[in-house]
């Protein structure tokens, strides 16, 4: 699948959650999706905590 399509689907799920269930349900769904992505990447062996922390802080490296 194209990453744009996946991003649109994720955005639609979060928007509908907010509209239908409210803000706190939206926050819960967003956190659950984030935990799922991290767990999936860790199981695949593609999760680097240091790179993730650097990206979260806005630090990127081209090397």
């Amino acid at each position: 699948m194209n990453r744009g399509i996946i991003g649109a689907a994720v955005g639609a799920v979060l928007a509908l959650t907010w509209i239908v269930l409210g803000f706190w349900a939206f926050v819960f769904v967003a956190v659950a999706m984030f935990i799922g992505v991290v767990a999936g990447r860790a199981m695949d062996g593609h999760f680097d905590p240091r790179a993730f922390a650097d990206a979260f802080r806005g630090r990127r490296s081209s090397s």
Side-chain angles (χ1 to χ4, degrees):
M1 280 184 112
N2 185 336
R3 288 185 182 181
I5 294 171
I6 294 171
V10 168
V13 167
L14 290 174
L16 288 173
T17 300
W18 189 329
I19 291 168
V20 174
L21 301 174
F23 175 75
W24 291 110
F26 160 79
V27 171
F28 175 74
V29 170
V31 169
M33 291 172 90
F34 175 76
I35 291 170
V37 167
V38 170
R41 289 186 62 86
M43 286 189 275
D44 287 343
H46 297 298
F47 182 67
D48 180 13
R50 185 175 302 155
F52 175 76
D54 288 343
F56 187 72
R57 285 186 237 138
R59 299 178 186 168
R60 294 188 181 202
S61 174
S62 60
S63 59

